[in-house]
Amino acid sequence: MIITLKKSTPKAEFDRLMDYLEGCNVRLNISYGDMFTVVGLVGDTTQISERKLEANEWVEHVQRVQAPYKLANRMFHPEDTIVDVGGVKIGAGEKIAIMAGPCAVESLEGLCEIAEEVKDAGASILRGGAYKPRTSPYSFQGLGYEGVMDLVEARKRTGLPTVSELMSVDKIDELAQNVDLIQIGARNMQNFDLLKAVGRINKPVMLKRGISASIEEWIMAAEYIMASGNPNVILCERGIKTFERMTRNTMDLAVIPIIKEKTHLPIVIDPSHATGDWKLIEPVALAAIAAGADGLMIEVHNHPEEALSDGSQSLKPEKFKELIVKARKVAEAVGREI
Ligand code: PEP
Ligand code: MN
């Protein structure tokens, strides 16, 4: 961190600030110029708030050199993290994980039918929402506990580990005891109480990028989970809100190499929510694999036109199967497997 102080800073104020900074366990490199005094902070500055420093009237400018996150930071943890989801390893050079299933669990039989189909096609994890964050309060809100129990039964029948969304802290035990991967949805990416709560449990967490979150805000949300004690975090890009209306959201593919450079966490891409259009799922999914994604999350429904949520961005099982065949070829081209 570099702090630029006004030349007119009174000595007492300067000494007070230097004492404060020395108390933050960093070394100070002070350079006295004609117009400004520049103080370079050497060491771990993650606990120092640049906003607080900027509130000081003698501070002209504060520039952060080091990222504000530490546990998620590749600089402090150079090797890739591998997260184990019910026996499926995600990250580093492991197989690309394919998470597939309906947007929402609608019935046990429907879920199991889809689960068998996606498993046959090559999926390794079954998705299905039981608690659904819907834009309208009049839309299907999910089956709740019954949906969670359906996921347990589908796992028993197919052997596929499951992923489902946690929306509130009061359902944390229910989800943690019954699913293999807890999803924190885009709308809750900055629900800090929820992040701290999943940080305290021993279950992997998939953190979706917030609808209008910057990459740094997203990594800081992962840092919350990790700082609370849970290192098993997977990041999931699901598109962000932009001015573009031809897609539901705008897929930000560049996050894949950026996340890999800045963090050591696995990154999964969700082309269903990113595009909102089943026709766009395949090209975006293939591009994500080419760009180095560690996994995909895809909505699949056997009757998309009758789905209770997100039918228009769900693939029919046969289309999903075709996609996986192509995805295997792209994976091979980049030295990965599915
Ligand atoms: C979902 O995956 O079911 C979901 C609601 O996704 P998102 O939080 O990305 O909108
Ligand atoms: Mn959905």
Side-chain angles (χ1 to χ4, degrees), residues 231-268:
N232 295 309
V233 179
I234 298 169
L235 297 169
C236 177
E237 166 67 47
R238 45 78 74 209
I240 47 174
K241 264 270 183 280
T242 68
F243 51 83
E244 183 52 64
R245 299 269 47 93
M246 287 215 190
T247 47
R248 182 179 181 186
N249 291 293
T250 296
M251 180 70 214
D252 184 3
L253 271 179
V255 298
I256 300 168
I258 294 171
I259 287 294
K260 285 188 177 288
E261 184 198 328
K262 305 284 179 201
T263 84
H264 50 87
L265 301 174
I267 167 103
V268 165

PDB file of all heavy atoms in Angstrom, residues 231-268:
ATOM      1  N   PRO A 231     -12.317 -23.913   3.973  1.00  0.00           N
ATOM      2  CA  PRO A 231     -11.471 -23.651   2.808  1.00  0.00           C
ATOM      3  C   PRO A 231     -12.041 -24.224   1.509  1.00  0.00           C
ATOM      4  O   PRO A 231     -11.496 -23.980   0.430  1.00  0.00           O
ATOM      5  CB  PRO A 231     -10.171 -24.382   3.167  1.00  0.00           C
ATOM      6  CG  PRO A 231     -10.605 -25.516   4.048  1.00  0.00           C
ATOM      7  CD  PRO A 231     -11.870 -25.089   4.756  1.00  0.00           C
ATOM      8  N   ASN A 232     -13.118 -25.016   1.602  1.00  0.00           N
ATOM      9  CA  ASN A 232     -13.637 -25.734   0.425  1.00  0.00           C
ATOM     10  C   ASN A 232     -14.664 -24.910  -0.346  1.00  0.00           C
ATOM     11  O   ASN A 232     -15.871 -25.157  -0.272  1.00  0.00           O
ATOM     12  CB  ASN A 232     -14.208 -27.078   0.856  1.00  0.00           C
ATOM     13  CG  ASN A 232     -13.110 -27.964   1.393  1.00  0.00           C
ATOM     14  OD1 ASN A 232     -12.069 -28.144   0.745  1.00  0.00           O
ATOM     15  ND2 ASN A 232     -13.303 -28.471   2.591  1.00  0.00           N
ATOM     16  N   VAL A 233     -14.146 -23.954  -1.087  1.00  0.00           N
ATOM     17  CA  VAL A 233     -15.016 -23.038  -1.823  1.00  0.00           C
ATOM     18  C   VAL A 233     -14.771 -23.204  -3.324  1.00  0.00           C
ATOM     19  O   VAL A 233     -13.626 -23.244  -3.774  1.00  0.00           O
ATOM     20  CB  VAL A 233     -14.746 -21.566  -1.413  1.00  0.00           C
ATOM     21  CG1 VAL A 233     -15.640 -20.612  -2.191  1.00  0.00           C
ATOM     22  CG2 VAL A 233     -14.950 -21.384   0.091  1.00  0.00           C
ATOM     23  N   ILE A 234     -15.878 -23.305  -4.067  1.00  0.00           N
ATOM     24  CA  ILE A 234     -15.827 -23.346  -5.537  1.00  0.00           C
ATOM     25  C   ILE A 234     -16.516 -22.068  -6.004  1.00  0.00           C
ATOM     26  O   ILE A 234     -17.572 -21.711  -5.473  1.00  0.00           O
ATOM     27  CB  ILE A 234     -16.610 -24.576  -6.068  1.00  0.00           C
ATOM     28  CG1 ILE A 234     -15.971 -25.875  -5.566  1.00  0.00           C
ATOM     29  CG2 ILE A 234     -16.708 -24.552  -7.586  1.00  0.00           C
ATOM     30  CD1 ILE A 234     -16.832 -27.119  -5.825  1.00  0.00           C
ATOM     31  N   LEU A 235     -15.942 -21.389  -6.985  1.00  0.00           N
ATOM     32  CA  LEU A 235     -16.586 -20.186  -7.519  1.00  0.00           C
ATOM     33  C   LEU A 235     -17.395 -20.564  -8.753  1.00  0.00           C
ATOM     34  O   LEU A 235     -16.984 -21.449  -9.517  1.00  0.00           O
ATOM     35  CB  LEU A 235     -15.528 -19.142  -7.870  1.00  0.00           C
ATOM     36  CG  LEU A 235     -14.713 -18.622  -6.673  1.00  0.00           C
ATOM     37  CD1 LEU A 235     -13.516 -17.808  -7.150  1.00  0.00           C
ATOM     38  CD2 LEU A 235     -15.589 -17.784  -5.750  1.00  0.00           C
ATOM     39  N   CYS A 236     -18.533 -19.922  -8.948  1.00  0.00           N
ATOM     40  CA  CYS A 236     -19.362 -20.211 -10.129  1.00  0.00           C
ATOM     41  C   CYS A 236     -19.796 -18.912 -10.799  1.00  0.00           C
ATOM     42  O   CYS A 236     -20.516 -18.109 -10.199  1.00  0.00           O
ATOM     43  CB  CYS A 236     -20.583 -21.047  -9.737  1.00  0.00           C
ATOM     44  SG  CYS A 236     -21.696 -21.365 -11.127  1.00  0.00           S
ATOM     45  N   GLU A 237     -19.354 -18.740 -12.038  1.00  0.00           N
ATOM     46  CA  GLU A 237     -19.769 -17.571 -12.831  1.00  0.00           C
ATOM     47  C   GLU A 237     -21.092 -17.896 -13.508  1.00  0.00           C
ATOM     48  O   GLU A 237     -21.225 -18.930 -14.154  1.00  0.00           O
ATOM     49  CB  GLU A 237     -18.688 -17.259 -13.879  1.00  0.00           C
ATOM     50  CG  GLU A 237     -19.107 -16.308 -14.988  1.00  0.00           C
ATOM     51  CD  GLU A 237     -19.373 -14.892 -14.504  1.00  0.00           C
ATOM     52  OE1 GLU A 237     -18.555 -14.355 -13.739  1.00  0.00           O
ATOM     53  OE2 GLU A 237     -20.402 -14.324 -14.910  1.00  0.00           O
ATOM     54  N   ARG A 238     -22.074 -17.003 -13.356  1.00  0.00           N
ATOM     55  CA  ARG A 238     -23.404 -17.247 -13.914  1.00  0.00           C
ATOM     56  C   ARG A 238     -23.922 -16.025 -14.679  1.00  0.00           C
ATOM     57  O   ARG A 238     -25.106 -15.853 -14.886  1.00  0.00           O
ATOM     58  CB  ARG A 238     -24.372 -17.670 -12.809  1.00  0.00           C
ATOM     59  CG  ARG A 238     -24.300 -16.858 -11.559  1.00  0.00           C
ATOM     60  CD  ARG A 238     -24.976 -15.519 -11.608  1.00  0.00           C
ATOM     61  NE  ARG A 238     -26.422 -15.686 -11.559  1.00  0.00           N
ATOM     62  CZ  ARG A 238     -27.289 -14.841 -12.112  1.00  0.00           C
ATOM     63  NH1 ARG A 238     -26.862 -13.749 -12.739  1.00  0.00           N
ATOM     64  NH2 ARG A 238     -28.581 -15.067 -12.032  1.00  0.00           N
ATOM     65  N   GLY A 239     -22.964 -15.200 -15.134  1.00  0.00           N
ATOM     66  CA  GLY A 239     -23.367 -14.037 -15.920  1.00  0.00           C
ATOM     67  C   GLY A 239     -23.698 -12.859 -15.023  1.00  0.00           C
ATOM     68  O   GLY A 239     -24.115 -13.028 -13.876  1.00  0.00           O
ATOM     69  N   ILE A 240     -23.471 -11.671 -15.562  1.00  0.00           N
ATOM     70  CA  ILE A 240     -23.732 -10.439 -14.803  1.00  0.00           C
ATOM     71  C   ILE A 240     -24.701  -9.558 -15.576  1.00  0.00           C
ATOM     72  O   ILE A 240     -24.842  -9.679 -16.786  1.00  0.00           O
ATOM     73  CB  ILE A 240     -22.418  -9.673 -14.510  1.00  0.00           C
ATOM     74  CG1 ILE A 240     -21.556  -9.567 -15.784  1.00  0.00           C
ATOM     75  CG2 ILE A 240     -21.649 -10.347 -13.382  1.00  0.00           C
ATOM     76  CD1 ILE A 240     -20.329  -8.710 -15.642  1.00  0.00           C
ATOM     77  N   LYS A 241     -25.340  -8.645 -14.854  1.00  0.00           N
ATOM     78  CA  LYS A 241     -26.291  -7.711 -15.479  1.00  0.00           C
ATOM     79  C   LYS A 241     -25.544  -6.630 -16.242  1.00  0.00           C
ATOM     80  O   LYS A 241     -24.655  -5.983 -15.703  1.00  0.00           O
ATOM     81  CB  LYS A 241     -27.070  -6.982 -14.406  1.00  0.00           C
ATOM     82  CG  LYS A 241     -28.394  -7.498 -14.023  1.00  0.00           C
ATOM     83  CD  LYS A 241     -29.590  -6.978 -14.758  1.00  0.00           C
ATOM     84  CE  LYS A 241     -30.836  -7.591 -14.158  1.00  0.00           C
ATOM     85  NZ  LYS A 241     -31.112  -8.945 -14.624  1.00  0.00           N
ATOM     86  N   THR A 242     -25.893  -6.482 -17.496  1.00  0.00           N
ATOM     87  CA  THR A 242     -25.350  -5.361 -18.264  1.00  0.00           C
ATOM     88  C   THR A 242     -26.516  -4.729 -19.022  1.00  0.00           C
ATOM     89  O   THR A 242     -27.671  -5.130 -18.838  1.00  0.00           O
ATOM     90  CB  THR A 242     -24.284  -5.827 -19.288  1.00  0.00           C
ATOM     91  OG1 THR A 242     -24.934  -6.598 -20.300  1.00  0.00           O
ATOM     92  CG2 THR A 242     -23.193  -6.675 -18.646  1.00  0.00           C
ATOM     93  N   PHE A 243     -26.213  -3.802 -19.906  1.00  0.00           N
ATOM     94  CA  PHE A 243     -27.260  -3.156 -20.710  1.00  0.00           C
ATOM     95  C   PHE A 243     -27.821  -4.101 -21.778  1.00  0.00           C
ATOM     96  O   PHE A 243     -28.843  -3.843 -22.380  1.00  0.00           O
ATOM     97  CB  PHE A 243     -26.701  -1.894 -21.398  1.00  0.00           C
ATOM     98  CG  PHE A 243     -25.429  -2.171 -22.138  1.00  0.00           C
ATOM     99  CD1 PHE A 243     -25.468  -2.689 -23.418  1.00  0.00           C
ATOM    100  CD2 PHE A 243     -24.204  -1.945 -21.538  1.00  0.00           C
ATOM    101  CE1 PHE A 243     -24.295  -2.983 -24.091  1.00  0.00           C
ATOM    102  CE2 PHE A 243     -23.024  -2.234 -22.216  1.00  0.00           C
ATOM    103  CZ  PHE A 243     -23.077  -2.759 -23.496  1.00  0.00           C
ATOM    104  N   GLU A 244     -27.152  -5.211 -22.045  1.00  0.00           N
ATOM    105  CA  GLU A 244     -27.545  -6.110 -23.139  1.00  0.00           C
ATOM    106  C   GLU A 244     -28.827  -6.874 -22.802  1.00  0.00           C
ATOM    107  O   GLU A 244     -28.939  -7.450 -21.728  1.00  0.00           O
ATOM    108  CB  GLU A 244     -26.395  -7.099 -23.409  1.00  0.00           C
ATOM    109  CG  GLU A 244     -26.662  -8.028 -24.585  1.00  0.00           C
ATOM    110  CD  GLU A 244     -27.049  -7.263 -25.837  1.00  0.00           C
ATOM    111  OE1 GLU A 244     -26.226  -6.501 -26.344  1.00  0.00           O
ATOM    112  OE2 GLU A 244     -28.197  -7.426 -26.302  1.00  0.00           O
ATOM    113  N   ARG A 245     -29.783  -6.864 -23.734  1.00  0.00           N
ATOM    114  CA  ARG A 245     -31.057  -7.527 -23.465  1.00  0.00           C
ATOM    115  C   ARG A 245     -31.290  -8.788 -24.305  1.00  0.00           C
ATOM    116  O   ARG A 245     -32.286  -9.468 -24.158  1.00  0.00           O
ATOM    117  CB  ARG A 245     -32.244  -6.559 -23.658  1.00  0.00           C
ATOM    118  CG  ARG A 245     -32.188  -5.364 -22.730  1.00  0.00           C
ATOM    119  CD  ARG A 245     -32.897  -5.521 -21.384  1.00  0.00           C
ATOM    120  NE  ARG A 245     -32.638  -6.743 -20.650  1.00  0.00           N
ATOM    121  CZ  ARG A 245     -31.685  -6.904 -19.716  1.00  0.00           C
ATOM    122  NH1 ARG A 245     -30.887  -5.922 -19.395  1.00  0.00           N
ATOM    123  NH2 ARG A 245     -31.541  -8.051 -19.094  1.00  0.00           N
ATOM    124  N   MET A 246     -30.353  -9.090 -25.199  1.00  0.00           N
ATOM    125  CA  MET A 246     -30.549 -10.285 -26.038  1.00  0.00           C
ATOM    126  C   MET A 246     -30.225 -11.569 -25.280  1.00  0.00           C
ATOM    127  O   MET A 246     -30.549 -12.652 -25.729  1.00  0.00           O
ATOM    128  CB  MET A 246     -29.712 -10.195 -27.305  1.00  0.00           C
ATOM    129  CG  MET A 246     -30.288  -9.200 -28.261  1.00  0.00           C
ATOM    130  SD  MET A 246     -30.059  -9.731 -29.947  1.00  0.00           S
ATOM    131  CE  MET A 246     -30.557  -8.245 -30.793  1.00  0.00           C
ATOM    132  N   THR A 247     -29.530 -11.417 -24.154  1.00  0.00           N
ATOM    133  CA  THR A 247     -29.296 -12.570 -23.276  1.00  0.00           C
ATOM    134  C   THR A 247     -29.801 -12.180 -21.889  1.00  0.00           C
ATOM    135  O   THR A 247     -29.899 -10.986 -21.561  1.00  0.00           O
ATOM    136  CB  THR A 247     -27.789 -12.913 -23.186  1.00  0.00           C
ATOM    137  OG1 THR A 247     -27.063 -11.710 -22.954  1.00  0.00           O
ATOM    138  CG2 THR A 247     -27.285 -13.578 -24.458  1.00  0.00           C
ATOM    139  N   ARG A 248     -30.121 -13.184 -21.078  1.00  0.00           N
ATOM    140  CA  ARG A 248     -30.656 -12.891 -19.733  1.00  0.00           C
ATOM    141  C   ARG A 248     -29.624 -12.145 -18.892  1.00  0.00           C
ATOM    142  O   ARG A 248     -29.923 -11.209 -18.155  1.00  0.00           O
ATOM    143  CB  ARG A 248     -31.031 -14.221 -19.061  1.00  0.00           C
ATOM    144  CG  ARG A 248     -31.637 -14.072 -17.690  1.00  0.00           C
ATOM    145  CD  ARG A 248     -32.013 -15.427 -17.096  1.00  0.00           C
ATOM    146  NE  ARG A 248     -32.612 -15.267 -15.791  1.00  0.00           N
ATOM    147  CZ  ARG A 248     -32.935 -16.276 -14.981  1.00  0.00           C
ATOM    148  NH1 ARG A 248     -32.738 -17.527 -15.364  1.00  0.00           N
ATOM    149  NH2 ARG A 248     -33.474 -16.042 -13.806  1.00  0.00           N
ATOM    150  N   ASN A 249     -28.381 -12.607 -19.005  1.00  0.00           N
ATOM    151  CA  ASN A 249     -27.245 -11.949 -18.349  1.00  0.00           C
ATOM    152  C   ASN A 249     -26.107 -11.926 -19.362  1.00  0.00           C
ATOM    153  O   ASN A 249     -26.234 -12.501 -20.434  1.00  0.00           O
ATOM    154  CB  ASN A 249     -26.825 -12.737 -17.104  1.00  0.00           C
ATOM    155  CG  ASN A 249     -27.871 -12.648 -16.004  1.00  0.00           C
ATOM    156  OD1 ASN A 249     -28.096 -11.580 -15.441  1.00  0.00           O
ATOM    157  ND2 ASN A 249     -28.532 -13.760 -15.719  1.00  0.00           N
ATOM    158  N   THR A 250     -24.999 -11.297 -19.004  1.00  0.00           N
ATOM    159  CA  THR A 250     -23.847 -11.293 -19.907  1.00  0.00           C
ATOM    160  C   THR A 250     -22.781 -12.217 -19.335  1.00  0.00           C
ATOM    161  O   THR A 250     -22.336 -12.035 -18.209  1.00  0.00           O
ATOM    162  CB  THR A 250     -23.303  -9.853 -20.067  1.00  0.00           C
ATOM    163  OG1 THR A 250     -24.319  -9.063 -20.692  1.00  0.00           O
ATOM    164  CG2 THR A 250     -22.047  -9.835 -20.932  1.00  0.00           C
ATOM    165  N   MET A 251     -22.438 -13.221 -20.135  1.00  0.00           N
ATOM    166  CA  MET A 251     -21.440 -14.195 -19.697  1.00  0.00           C
ATOM    167  C   MET A 251     -20.056 -13.565 -19.737  1.00  0.00           C
ATOM    168  O   MET A 251     -19.658 -13.038 -20.769  1.00  0.00           O
ATOM    169  CB  MET A 251     -21.508 -15.375 -20.677  1.00  0.00           C
ATOM    170  CG  MET A 251     -20.551 -16.468 -20.381  1.00  0.00           C
ATOM    171  SD  MET A 251     -21.076 -17.289 -18.899  1.00  0.00           S
ATOM    172  CE  MET A 251     -19.535 -17.708 -18.215  1.00  0.00           C
ATOM    173  N   ASP A 252     -19.351 -13.618 -18.623  1.00  0.00           N
ATOM    174  CA  ASP A 252     -18.017 -13.026 -18.544  1.00  0.00           C
ATOM    175  C   ASP A 252     -16.986 -14.154 -18.557  1.00  0.00           C
ATOM    176  O   ASP A 252     -16.571 -14.635 -17.510  1.00  0.00           O
ATOM    177  CB  ASP A 252     -17.923 -12.193 -17.256  1.00  0.00           C
ATOM    178  CG  ASP A 252     -16.609 -11.449 -17.127  1.00  0.00           C
ATOM    179  OD1 ASP A 252     -15.789 -11.528 -18.064  1.00  0.00           O
ATOM    180  OD2 ASP A 252     -16.408 -10.787 -16.102  1.00  0.00           O
ATOM    181  N   LEU A 253     -16.603 -14.565 -19.763  1.00  0.00           N
ATOM    182  CA  LEU A 253     -15.686 -15.716 -19.868  1.00  0.00           C
ATOM    183  C   LEU A 253     -14.270 -15.400 -19.388  1.00  0.00           C
ATOM    184  O   LEU A 253     -13.547 -16.284 -18.953  1.00  0.00           O
ATOM    185  CB  LEU A 253     -15.607 -16.201 -21.316  1.00  0.00           C
ATOM    186  CG  LEU A 253     -16.625 -17.247 -21.756  1.00  0.00           C
ATOM    187  CD1 LEU A 253     -16.410 -17.602 -23.215  1.00  0.00           C
ATOM    188  CD2 LEU A 253     -16.560 -18.505 -20.897  1.00  0.00           C
ATOM    189  N   ALA A 254     -13.920 -14.116 -19.460  1.00  0.00           N
ATOM    190  CA  ALA A 254     -12.557 -13.734 -19.045  1.00  0.00           C
ATOM    191  C   ALA A 254     -12.324 -14.007 -17.564  1.00  0.00           C
ATOM    192  O   ALA A 254     -11.179 -14.056 -17.113  1.00  0.00           O
ATOM    193  CB  ALA A 254     -12.309 -12.263 -19.357  1.00  0.00           C
ATOM    194  N   VAL A 255     -13.402 -14.199 -16.796  1.00  0.00           N
ATOM    195  CA  VAL A 255     -13.177 -14.465 -15.363  1.00  0.00           C
ATOM    196  C   VAL A 255     -12.422 -15.767 -15.152  1.00  0.00           C
ATOM    197  O   VAL A 255     -11.757 -15.926 -14.132  1.00  0.00           O
ATOM    198  CB  VAL A 255     -14.466 -14.536 -14.504  1.00  0.00           C
ATOM    199  CG1 VAL A 255     -15.215 -13.233 -14.511  1.00  0.00           C
ATOM    200  CG2 VAL A 255     -15.354 -15.682 -14.883  1.00  0.00           C
ATOM    201  N   ILE A 256     -12.505 -16.688 -16.107  1.00  0.00           N
ATOM    202  CA  ILE A 256     -11.852 -17.993 -15.875  1.00  0.00           C
ATOM    203  C   ILE A 256     -10.337 -17.802 -15.704  1.00  0.00           C
ATOM    204  O   ILE A 256      -9.801 -18.130 -14.644  1.00  0.00           O
ATOM    205  CB  ILE A 256     -12.213 -19.018 -16.971  1.00  0.00           C
ATOM    206  CG1 ILE A 256     -13.735 -19.231 -16.999  1.00  0.00           C
ATOM    207  CG2 ILE A 256     -11.493 -20.341 -16.727  1.00  0.00           C
ATOM    208  CD1 ILE A 256     -14.237 -19.988 -18.213  1.00  0.00           C
ATOM    209  N   PRO A 257      -9.645 -17.234 -16.712  1.00  0.00           N
ATOM    210  CA  PRO A 257      -8.202 -17.008 -16.466  1.00  0.00           C
ATOM    211  C   PRO A 257      -7.928 -16.011 -15.340  1.00  0.00           C
ATOM    212  O   PRO A 257      -6.924 -16.144 -14.641  1.00  0.00           O
ATOM    213  CB  PRO A 257      -7.689 -16.500 -17.821  1.00  0.00           C
ATOM    214  CG  PRO A 257      -8.896 -16.064 -18.579  1.00  0.00           C
ATOM    215  CD  PRO A 257     -10.034 -16.895 -18.088  1.00  0.00           C
ATOM    216  N   ILE A 258      -8.804 -15.047 -15.151  1.00  0.00           N
ATOM    217  CA  ILE A 258      -8.554 -14.053 -14.080  1.00  0.00           C
ATOM    218  C   ILE A 258      -8.645 -14.717 -12.703  1.00  0.00           C
ATOM    219  O   ILE A 258      -7.774 -14.546 -11.855  1.00  0.00           O
ATOM    220  CB  ILE A 258      -9.533 -12.848 -14.196  1.00  0.00           C
ATOM    221  CG1 ILE A 258      -9.251 -12.063 -15.480  1.00  0.00           C
ATOM    222  CG2 ILE A 258      -9.423 -11.938 -12.963  1.00  0.00           C
ATOM    223  CD1 ILE A 258     -10.268 -10.986 -15.810  1.00  0.00           C
ATOM    224  N   ILE A 259      -9.696 -15.508 -12.497  1.00  0.00           N
ATOM    225  CA  ILE A 259      -9.852 -16.207 -11.210  1.00  0.00           C
ATOM    226  C   ILE A 259      -8.670 -17.144 -10.972  1.00  0.00           C
ATOM    227  O   ILE A 259      -8.152 -17.255  -9.863  1.00  0.00           O
ATOM    228  CB  ILE A 259     -11.203 -16.977 -11.161  1.00  0.00           C
ATOM    229  CG1 ILE A 259     -12.367 -15.998 -10.997  1.00  0.00           C
ATOM    230  CG2 ILE A 259     -11.221 -18.051 -10.074  1.00  0.00           C
ATOM    231  CD1 ILE A 259     -12.413 -15.238  -9.693  1.00  0.00           C
ATOM    232  N   LYS A 260      -8.228 -17.792 -12.041  1.00  0.00           N
ATOM    233  CA  LYS A 260      -7.096 -18.717 -11.880  1.00  0.00           C
ATOM    234  C   LYS A 260      -5.798 -17.974 -11.546  1.00  0.00           C
ATOM    235  O   LYS A 260      -4.950 -18.497 -10.845  1.00  0.00           O
ATOM    236  CB  LYS A 260      -6.926 -19.582 -13.126  1.00  0.00           C
ATOM    237  CG  LYS A 260      -8.001 -20.656 -13.172  1.00  0.00           C
ATOM    238  CD  LYS A 260      -7.774 -21.650 -14.262  1.00  0.00           C
ATOM    239  CE  LYS A 260      -8.826 -22.733 -14.224  1.00  0.00           C
ATOM    240  NZ  LYS A 260      -8.646 -23.640 -13.085  1.00  0.00           N
ATOM    241  N   GLU A 261      -5.672 -16.773 -12.071  1.00  0.00           N
ATOM    242  CA  GLU A 261      -4.475 -15.991 -11.758  1.00  0.00           C
ATOM    243  C   GLU A 261      -4.531 -15.427 -10.331  1.00  0.00           C
ATOM    244  O   GLU A 261      -3.563 -15.480  -9.587  1.00  0.00           O
ATOM    245  CB  GLU A 261      -4.352 -14.838 -12.768  1.00  0.00           C
ATOM    246  CG  GLU A 261      -3.086 -14.025 -12.595  1.00  0.00           C
ATOM    247  CD  GLU A 261      -3.170 -12.668 -13.278  1.00  0.00           C
ATOM    248  OE1 GLU A 261      -3.845 -12.548 -14.312  1.00  0.00           O
ATOM    249  OE2 GLU A 261      -2.565 -11.728 -12.738  1.00  0.00           O
ATOM    250  N   LYS A 262      -5.697 -14.914  -9.961  1.00  0.00           N
ATOM    251  CA  LYS A 262      -5.805 -14.222  -8.662  1.00  0.00           C
ATOM    252  C   LYS A 262      -6.003 -15.174  -7.489  1.00  0.00           C
ATOM    253  O   LYS A 262      -5.670 -14.834  -6.359  1.00  0.00           O
ATOM    254  CB  LYS A 262      -6.991 -13.234  -8.681  1.00  0.00           C
ATOM    255  CG  LYS A 262      -6.957 -12.218  -9.801  1.00  0.00           C
ATOM    256  CD  LYS A 262      -5.957 -11.138  -9.522  1.00  0.00           C
ATOM    257  CE  LYS A 262      -5.905 -10.124 -10.646  1.00  0.00           C
ATOM    258  NZ  LYS A 262      -4.647  -9.375 -10.654  1.00  0.00           N
ATOM    259  N   THR A 263      -6.677 -16.325  -7.740  1.00  0.00           N
ATOM    260  CA  THR A 263      -6.987 -17.234  -6.635  1.00  0.00           C
ATOM    261  C   THR A 263      -6.519 -18.647  -6.971  1.00  0.00           C
ATOM    262  O   THR A 263      -6.088 -18.926  -8.086  1.00  0.00           O
ATOM    263  CB  THR A 263      -8.507 -17.298  -6.331  1.00  0.00           C
ATOM    264  OG1 THR A 263      -9.127 -18.245  -7.211  1.00  0.00           O
ATOM    265  CG2 THR A 263      -9.201 -15.957  -6.507  1.00  0.00           C
ATOM    266  N   HIS A 264      -6.676 -19.524  -5.986  1.00  0.00           N
ATOM    267  CA  HIS A 264      -6.327 -20.943  -6.188  1.00  0.00           C
ATOM    268  C   HIS A 264      -7.587 -21.794  -6.155  1.00  0.00           C
ATOM    269  O   HIS A 264      -7.515 -23.008  -6.041  1.00  0.00           O
ATOM    270  CB  HIS A 264      -5.351 -21.380  -5.082  1.00  0.00           C
ATOM    271  CG  HIS A 264      -5.830 -21.014  -3.705  1.00  0.00           C
ATOM    272  ND1 HIS A 264      -6.659 -21.814  -2.971  1.00  0.00           N
ATOM    273  CD2 HIS A 264      -5.638 -19.882  -2.977  1.00  0.00           C
ATOM    274  CE1 HIS A 264      -6.933 -21.209  -1.820  1.00  0.00           C
ATOM    275  NE2 HIS A 264      -6.333 -20.037  -1.802  1.00  0.00           N
ATOM    276  N   LEU A 265      -8.749 -21.160  -6.236  1.00  0.00           N
ATOM    277  CA  LEU A 265     -10.020 -21.885  -6.091  1.00  0.00           C
ATOM    278  C   LEU A 265     -10.526 -22.406  -7.441  1.00  0.00           C
ATOM    279  O   LEU A 265     -10.284 -21.783  -8.484  1.00  0.00           O
ATOM    280  CB  LEU A 265     -11.080 -20.952  -5.483  1.00  0.00           C
ATOM    281  CG  LEU A 265     -10.722 -20.369  -4.115  1.00  0.00           C
ATOM    282  CD1 LEU A 265     -11.765 -19.348  -3.684  1.00  0.00           C
ATOM    283  CD2 LEU A 265     -10.610 -21.491  -3.065  1.00  0.00           C
ATOM    284  N   PRO A 266     -11.263 -23.516  -7.437  1.00  0.00           N
ATOM    285  CA  PRO A 266     -11.852 -24.012  -8.684  1.00  0.00           C
ATOM    286  C   PRO A 266     -12.935 -23.053  -9.207  1.00  0.00           C
ATOM    287  O   PRO A 266     -13.610 -22.405  -8.413  1.00  0.00           O
ATOM    288  CB  PRO A 266     -12.491 -25.357  -8.291  1.00  0.00           C
ATOM    289  CG  PRO A 266     -11.979 -25.682  -6.933  1.00  0.00           C
ATOM    290  CD  PRO A 266     -11.573 -24.397  -6.291  1.00  0.00           C
ATOM    291  N   ILE A 267     -13.076 -23.023 -10.529  1.00  0.00           N
ATOM    292  CA  ILE A 267     -14.089 -22.149 -11.140  1.00  0.00           C
ATOM    293  C   ILE A 267     -14.992 -22.957 -12.076  1.00  0.00           C
ATOM    294  O   ILE A 267     -14.512 -23.673 -12.948  1.00  0.00           O
ATOM    295  CB  ILE A 267     -13.442 -20.927 -11.847  1.00  0.00           C
ATOM    296  CG1 ILE A 267     -14.452 -20.196 -12.750  1.00  0.00           C
ATOM    297  CG2 ILE A 267     -12.244 -21.301 -12.708  1.00  0.00           C
ATOM    298  CD1 ILE A 267     -14.977 -18.961 -12.188  1.00  0.00           C
ATOM    299  N   VAL A 268     -16.286 -22.796 -11.846  1.00  0.00           N
ATOM    300  CA  VAL A 268     -17.320 -23.506 -12.605  1.00  0.00           C
ATOM    301  C   VAL A 268     -18.143 -22.459 -13.352  1.00  0.00           C
ATOM    302  O   VAL A 268     -18.330 -21.346 -12.863  1.00  0.00           O
ATOM    303  CB  VAL A 268     -18.208 -24.302 -11.602  1.00  0.00           C
ATOM    304  CG1 VAL A 268     -19.500 -24.766 -12.233  1.00  0.00           C
ATOM    305  CG2 VAL A 268     -17.427 -25.485 -11.029  1.00  0.00           C
TER     306      VAL A 268
END
